[in-house]
Amino acid sequence: MIASMLRKHALRLVAGIVTVGLVSVVTACAQGESMSPQESRDKLVTLISDTAALISSEGWDETGAPIGSCSSSSGKGVSASWGLAREPMADHLGDAQKVADFWASKGLEVQLQKEPRIAVYGRGSDINAVSFSTEPGLYALDGSSLCVPGTLDEISNQDPGE
C-alpha cells in the first residue's frame, strides 16, 4: 500500500516541481553556471537527506531520480530531481516548521503553507525548488537541482544516494 501511495504522490510532486522549475529556470540557470551536473545533484540530495534526518533518521524510501534536459545561458543543460517519502509522524505542523527553519538557515526562500494541507516550499541558494508535504498517510520530500551546463550522460548513470 505504501509503495502505491509513494508512486502516486511522486507523480503529483514531480508535476508540481516541474511547474515550479519552469518558473524558476532563468534564475536557476544563472546560479548554476559554475557547478558541474554532479555538484548540482549532490547539493539537492544532501539537502533532502539532511532534511529527512531532521524529521526522522529511519523509514524513508526513495521516490525516484528523474534526470532532464534544460536550457542554460551557455546552451544545453541538465537538472536532476530526487525525493524521499515515508509514513507520516504525529506532529505535522511542528515538523513543517522544523523544515522551514532548517531551509531558511541554508539560505533558501521558504513558504510554509498551513491550509488546505501543511506543506513547505523552498527555492534559491543552490537548489531550484524543494518541497515537504504532509498529505494524509504520507510525508514527502522532493526537489529539483539547478540547471547546469552539461549532458544527461554526465549524471544519468550515477546513484543519487552516493
Side-chain angles (χ1 to χ4, degrees):
M1 181 167 137
I2 265 274
S4 174
M5 288 173 41
L6 289 175
R7 274 186 243 115
K8 181 178 176 183
H9 184 72
L11 290 174
R12 277 191 306 220
L13 287 175
V14 167
I17 288 169
V18 167
T19 301
V20 171
L22 291 174
V23 172
S24 305
V25 75
V26 173
T27 302
C29 288
Q31 291 175 339
E33 291 298 317
S34 63
M35 274 191 275
S36 73
Q38 184 60 39
E39 288 171 321
S40 180
R41 179 187 222 173
D42 287 350
K43 288 181 182 292
L44 172 67
V45 170
T46 298
L47 179 67
I48 289 176
S49 297
D50 290 351
T51 303
L54 180 72
I55 297 167
S56 173
S57 61
E58 298 177 356
W60 294 93
D61 294 313
E62 190 173 328
T63 59
I67 307 300
S69 296
C70 54
S71 296
S72 72
S73 63
S74 61
K76 290 186 177 183
V78 64
S79 66
S81 297
W82 194 65
L84 297 171
R86 63 161 288 132
E87 291 184 20
M89 306 292 282
D91 186 6
H92 293 218
L93 185 56
D95 289 336
Q97 189 62 60
K98 279 187 213 175
V99 169
D101 293 344
F102 178 66
W103 289 351
S105 78
K106 298 292 185 185
L108 276 74
E109 295 175 31
V110 177
Q111 176 186 355
L112 174 60
Q113 173 185 304
K114 296 179 183 176
E115 299 283 334
R117 64 180 168 86
I118 299 169
V120 183
Y121 302 97
R123 65 179 211 157
S125 187
D126 292 325
I127 304 295
N128 182 43
V130 66
S131 67
F132 169 66
S133 65
T134 63
E135 290 198 17
L138 188 69
Y139 267 20
L141 281 161
D142 292 282
S144 62
S145 69
L146 293 176
C147 177
V148 297
T151 65
L152 295 175
D153 293 338
E154 292 180 70
I155 62 173
S156 63
N157 294 326
Q158 298 168 0
D159 181 357
E162 292 182 353

